[in-house]
């Protein structure tokens, strides 16, 4: 047998194959298996190469010998490795790396053929490594300390039996998991006062896809579309690509005002629960006026309830627009991104049956249906009572963090004003007119503090230059006071400098 043995006495040679393990990442034996498979696929570990002994590799990586033995055995069972008595463990002779070639062809300038350029639009940007910052005051991000890890694992295990897999592994074409639809009807939507039939719900890849499908179904180049300003930048960008008739709605401290601008629109997108980004909660009386105005003008309303369910405060008692809608002119968009985790990518849309039927066909043309395994795991999570428990625990934590921030801000940012609608997981902060919030964001980031500049939420980015948003769902409670103290020092220094120049 031909053996190409790498020098086992030179650990620097093996460093090309075996990286340092991540103690906070995947199980160690899985990390080791990934390293070996990567080595075989890239050719770093050629066929018939002898691997280090389990004792040697365990010493190199600082892990238990049983961990290495487990990784080796699994790869032997799968045919990547073979064990020869008294000789050691080798890469299988059948392993051949995929050919790696670099194209030398000159690429055509396809950019000249673009009919739209989404990259030129203004987008919210957040560091991909935001979790490495000590003070991530960001909105809508995954909070490791709040995620119900054990309960979610139970739901995933329950949906990973042979019988369950046979239930969700098939192509659903344009259908959704019936169990998730049922759990939405029984446990999720009733919290918002919404009671509908199964054929009035469709599952989406987060609320983002729901909004995009609504834009595609209802809006053409001449459609008059009402948008909040400030408002959600991604929605504004979607609409700008679809129509030349975007209208910016009048707003005050209670949200959208049902005035002439609204009445001239054919469809309007509103965030009445917690206005994005100001967090304003529209009172019930204003919601009634909004619905009356929509009826008079034959206006379609899209209620983006992106930040619902986590509140344990007074705002949860205010009915959603959809629950007050007797004419079927409100389309309701919800999501589990803020409630559980953005990476779950499960949202939902509630509308009349004819609308849902068209959206199902439209979605089928895009991606057929969202991953059914995720749908089934979420349905099981809700059905086992974990969702209700999670909402209670997380809602209380959100309220406590909000109280801490509200008590701290007057002391650390006396030059600013701020608002937080009841139940919201962020604060909207307005500095003096001369404050450059973009500069504050940059200085804060250099000191490990992440906040969001306010101008991105405005159609005209000359507006909101003195505003920023402080989210608190993704930062540990123990780091809030220290982070706000550092942020406050930056803000007050910039306020002083700006005032002197003013």
């Amino acid at each position: 047998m031909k053996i190409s043995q790498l020098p086992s006495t030179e650990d620097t040679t093996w460093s090309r194959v075996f990286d340092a393990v991540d103690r906070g990442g995947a199980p160690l034996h899985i990390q080791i298996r990934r390293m070996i498979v990567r080595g075989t696929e890239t050719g770093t570990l050629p066929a018939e190469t002898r691997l280090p002994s389990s004792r040697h590799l365990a010493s190199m990586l600082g892990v238990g010998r049983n961990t290495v033995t487990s990784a080796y055995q699994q790869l032997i069972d799968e045919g990547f490795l073979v064990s020869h008595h008294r000789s050691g463990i080798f890469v299988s002779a059948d392993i051949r790396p995929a050919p790696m070639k670099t194209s030398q062809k000159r690429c055509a300038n396809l950019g000249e053929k673009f009919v739209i350029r989404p990259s030129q639009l203004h987008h919210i940007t957040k560091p991909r490594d935001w979790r490495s910052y000590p003070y991530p005051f960001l909105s809508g991000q995954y909070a490791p300390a709040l995620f119900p890890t054990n309960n979610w694992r139970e739901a995933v295990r329950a949906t990973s039996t042979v019988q369950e897999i046979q239930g969700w592994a098939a192509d659903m074409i344009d259908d959704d998991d019936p169990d998730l639809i049922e759990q939405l009807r029984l446990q999720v939507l009733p919290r918002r006062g919404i009671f509908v039939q199964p054929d009035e719900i469709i599952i989406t890849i987060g609320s983002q896809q729901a909004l995009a499908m609504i834009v595609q179904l209802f809006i053409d180049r001449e459609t008059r579309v009402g948008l909040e300003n400030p408002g959600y930048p991604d929605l504004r960008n979607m609409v700008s690509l679809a129509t030349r008739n975007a209208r910016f709605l009048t707003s005050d401290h209670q949200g959208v005002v049902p005035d002439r601008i609204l009445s001239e629109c054919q469809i309007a997108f509103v965030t009445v629960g917690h206005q994005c980004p100001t967090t304003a909660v529209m009172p019930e009386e204003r919601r009634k006026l909004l619905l009356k105005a929509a009826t008079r003008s034959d206006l379609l309303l899209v209620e983006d309830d992106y930040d619902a369910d986590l509140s344990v405060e007074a705002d949860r008692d205010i009915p959603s627009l959809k629950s007050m809608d007797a004419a079927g002119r409100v389309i309701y968009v919800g999501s589990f991104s803020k409630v559980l985790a953005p990476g779950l990518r499960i949202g939902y849309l509630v509308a009349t049956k004819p609308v849902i039927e068209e959206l199902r066909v439209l979605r089928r043309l895009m991606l057929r249906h969202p991953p059914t395994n995720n749908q089934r795991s979420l349905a099981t999570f809700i059905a086992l009572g974990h969702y209700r428990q999670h909402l209670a625990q997380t809602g209380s934590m959100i309220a406590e963090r909000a109280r801490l921030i509200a008590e701290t801000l007057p002391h650390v940012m006396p030059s600013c004003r701020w608002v937080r609608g009841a139940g919201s997981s962020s604060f909207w902060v307005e500095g003096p007119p001369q404050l450059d919030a973009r500069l504050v964001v940059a200085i804060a980031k250099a000191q490990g503090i992440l906040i969001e500049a306010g101008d991105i939420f405005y159609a005209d980015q000359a507006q909101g230059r003195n505003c920023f948003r402080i989210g608190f769902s993704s930062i540990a409670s123990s780091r809030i006071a220290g982070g706000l103290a550092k942020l406050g020092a930056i803000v007050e220094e910039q306020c002083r400098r700006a005032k002197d120049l003013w």
Side-chain angles (χ1 to χ4, degrees):
M1 179 185 67
K2 178 183 176 182
I3 298 176
S4 59
Q5 178 181 354
L6 295 178
S8 60
T9 58
E10 297 182 14
D11 287 353
T12 54
T13 301
W14 289 116
S15 67
R16 293 183 297 136
V17 178
F18 298 103
D19 302 324
V21 295
D22 180 3
R23 303 287 173 177
L28 298 179
H29 71 95
I30 290 181
Q31 294 186 49
I32 295 171
R33 286 161 55 190
R34 287 171 61 99
M35 295 174 195
I36 295 172
V37 171
R38 180 185 62 195
T40 62
E41 291 297 323
T42 60
T44 310
L45 285 177
E48 300 184 292
T49 297
R50 188 171 75 179
L51 294 174
S53 69
S54 58
R55 188 185 304 277
H56 184 190
L57 185 55
S59 176
M60 287 171 51
L61 298 178
V63 301
R65 185 179 178 186
N66 288 343
T67 300
V68 176
T69 301
S70 173
Y72 279 173
Q73 187 58 54
Q74 184 69 36
L75 291 174
I76 290 171
D77 294 342
E78 294 178 355
F80 281 91
L81 305 179
V82 293
S83 176
H84 295 297
H85 185 60
R86 296 184 181 276
S87 297
I89 294 176
F90 300 80
V91 177
S92 171
D94 297 328
I95 294 296
R96 293 290 182 268
M100 304 288 288
K101 293 184 178 180
T102 302
S103 174
Q104 301 298 322
K105 296 179 181 179
R106 183 176 179 181
C107 295
N109 183 12
L110 299 183
E112 296 177 350
K113 302 181 182 297
F114 294 161
V115 296
I116 59 172
R117 288 187 177 268
S119 63
Q120 295 181 357
L121 300 169
H122 296 293
H123 303 274
I124 294 178
T125 58
K126 299 175 184 179
R128 295 185 182 274
D129 62 342
W130 65 267
R131 278 180 287 187
S132 66
Y133 287 75
Y135 306 107
F137 287 104
L138 297 177
S139 178
Q141 292 298 333
Y142 161 71
L146 299 180
F147 188 78
T149 302
N150 291 334
N151 290 341
W152 182 256
R153 284 175 174 169
E154 181 186 18
V156 172
R157 285 195 299 268
T159 57
S160 299
T161 65
V162 173
Q163 183 176 357
E164 283 289 315
I165 291 174
Q166 290 175 350
W168 57 250
D171 183 358
M172 303 288 285
I173 305 178
D174 56 10
D175 283 342
D176 294 310
D177 182 71
D179 194 12
L180 181 55
I181 295 293
E182 189 66 7
Q183 295 306 318
L184 284 168
R185 293 181 61 236
L186 294 178
Q187 294 202 51
V188 178
L189 292 171
R191 296 176 62 89
R192 307 298 294 147
I194 300 172
F195 301 90
V196 292
Q197 297 302 311
D199 56 10
E200 296 176 301
I201 306 172
I202 185 173
I203 306 300
T204 60
I205 304 290
S207 60
Q208 193 88 350
Q209 189 202 13
L211 294 171
M213 290 199 303
I214 293 170
V215 169
Q216 192 167 350
L217 186 64
F218 288 100
I219 298 175
D220 63 19
R221 295 301 294 168
E222 305 303 324
T223 306
R224 299 182 301 277
V225 182
L227 296 173
E228 297 174 333
N229 189 39
Y232 183 38
D234 283 355
L235 174 62
R236 185 172 64 243
N237 289 337
M238 291 179 207
V239 171
S240 71
L241 295 174
T243 183
R244 68 188 77 196
N245 279 328
R247 311 288 176 87
F248 295 111
L249 303 172
T250 308
S251 299
D252 60 17
H253 67 284
Q254 293 185 337
V256 169
V257 176
D259 60 3
R260 178 185 57 80
I261 297 177
L262 179 73
S263 67
E264 293 175 349
C265 296
Q266 295 167 278
I267 180 173
F269 295 81
V270 293
T271 52
V272 301
H274 299 127
Q275 200 278 331
C276 175
T278 67
T279 78
V281 178
M282 183 179 289
E284 183 174 353
E285 189 57 36
R286 173 69 65 84
R287 298 186 192 201
K288 292 178 180 178
L289 293 175
L290 190 62
L291 284 171
K292 289 181 179 179
T295 300
R296 287 195 303 269
S297 305
D298 191 25
L299 168 67
L300 176 63
L301 291 172
V302 180
E303 179 182 13
D304 182 3
D305 210 7
Y306 70 97
D307 202 14
D309 275 358
L310 283 179
S311 178
V312 295
E313 300 171 61
D315 65 302
R316 68 176 180 176
D317 296 325
I318 302 177
S320 65
L321 269 185
K322 183 62 179 175
S323 70
M324 303 166 67
D325 171 34
R329 66 175 60 257
V330 175
I331 296 177
Y332 181 89
V333 174
S335 173
F336 291 95
S337 293
K338 304 293 187 296
V339 178
L340 281 172
L344 189 60
R345 306 312 308 148
I346 293 185
Y348 49 94
L349 188 153
V350 180
T352 58
K353 181 180 177 181
V355 173
I356 297 299
E357 288 176 345
E358 293 299 328
L359 288 174
R360 286 199 179 281
V361 178
L362 179 60
R363 189 189 67 181
R364 177 183 178 178
L365 297 176
M366 294 178 175
L367 48 79
R368 298 181 81 83
H369 58 80
T372 321
N373 59 328
N374 286 351
Q375 293 188 50
R376 181 64 60 86
S377 295
L378 178 58
T380 303
F381 179 83
I382 298 171
L384 291 175
H386 297 324
Y387 183 69
R388 182 179 295 274
Q389 179 187 19
H390 171 69
L391 293 181
Q393 293 176 345
T394 306
S396 296
M397 181 69 74
I398 292 294
E400 177 59 24
R401 290 180 181 180
R403 182 193 62 79
L404 174 60
I405 295 174
E407 292 177 352
T408 305
L409 283 177
H411 303 288
V412 299
M413 295 183 204
S415 299
C416 299
R417 299 184 299 177
W418 55 88
V419 62
R420 172 192 174 260
S424 177
S425 58
S426 63
F427 283 74
W428 181 248
V429 183
E430 180 182 350
Q434 64 272 21
L435 178 67
D436 184 351
R438 283 280 173 184
L439 182 57
V440 170
V441 169
I443 296 173
K445 182 179 179 182
Q447 297 187 27
I449 307 166
L450 297 179
I451 58 173
E452 298 169 272
D455 57 353
I456 189 64
F457 297 98
Y458 286 85
D460 179 1
Q461 292 196 309
Q463 297 180 280
R465 293 287 296 179
N466 61 325
C467 298
F468 56 92
R469 184 164 69 170
I470 296 177
F472 54 90
S473 60
S474 57
I475 183 171
S477 300
S478 60
R479 305 197 70 83
I480 287 177
L484 287 181
K486 292 177 179 291
L487 177 61
I490 296 169
V491 171
E492 290 302 309
E493 173 64 15
Q494 292 307 308
C495 286
R496 184 188 65 77
R497 288 174 178 251
K499 184 177 181 182
D500 290 344
L501 292 174
W502 193 265

